[in-house]
Amino acid sequence: MSIPDSTQLHTPKKIKATAAFMLSHPAHYIALGFGSGLSRIMPGTSGTLLGWLSFIVLSSKWPHYFSSINWLVIIAAGFVIGVWACQVTGRHLNSPDDGSMVWDEIIAFWLVLVLITPANFSTQLCAFVVFRFFDMVKPPPIKYFDQHIKGGFGVMWDDIVAAFYTLLVFALWRVL
């Protein structure tokens, strides 16, 4: 039995997320944030913007359906669906935490918004900036979770922690 050399070892090549890829499976459509994750520039920010816009539109258009308690149910269900969608999509992309997967940003930012509402535009903008900061910089323990918890759950979880950090900043801001 011989030991394979480096030319015999094959690491699957990462697949680029495209519109055709996104439309090839329902999990891809969800994980790629209905296309917002296909942005060439800062897909995570694009996904967060979609989360913000969808929260405002849905809450304004149908407030009796999109109440705070219903949002929390939607977020919990969205988290579970996101674990599945990001697991499948990451496997199909050969990239377990691909930057094009933005469902995690959408769900996490919905959580921030539902817990700071009612909030005016400037407060929501501040929440957006603070959330994006924590999601991009990944201070401890976010970085630990990002590096050590793999699969769909790991993709979703580190953004939930970034959302809690954002909410902690807002709680401290309101107290001080």
Side-chain angles (χ1 to χ4, degrees), residues 7-103:
T7 60
Q8 293 173 322
L9 297 175
H10 182 271
T11 303
K13 185 177 179 187
K14 180 179 169 186
I15 296 171
K16 181 171 174 38
T18 62
F21 173 83
M22 178 184 69
L23 296 172
S24 70
H25 194 287
H28 304 166
Y29 191 65
I30 295 166
L32 299 181
F34 313 111
S36 62
L38 297 175
S39 172
R40 292 177 183 234
I41 302 168
M42 301 176 71
T45 299
S46 296
T48 308
L49 284 170
L50 176 64
W52 188 8
L53 178 64
S54 61
F55 183 89
I56 291 169
V57 169
L58 294 171
S59 295
S60 299
K61 183 93 172 144
W62 299 287
H64 50 287
Y65 293 118
F66 291 93
S67 63
S68 294
I69 191 70
N70 288 349
W71 269 116
L72 292 173
V73 171
I74 291 165
I75 291 163
F79 182 87
V80 172
I81 291 166
V83 168
W84 165 77
C86 291
Q87 179 73 32
V88 169
T89 303
R91 187 174 62 244
H92 291 173
L93 287 170
N94 294 323
S95 179
D97 194 359
D98 196 79
S100 66
M101 295 189 297
V102 298
W103 185 249

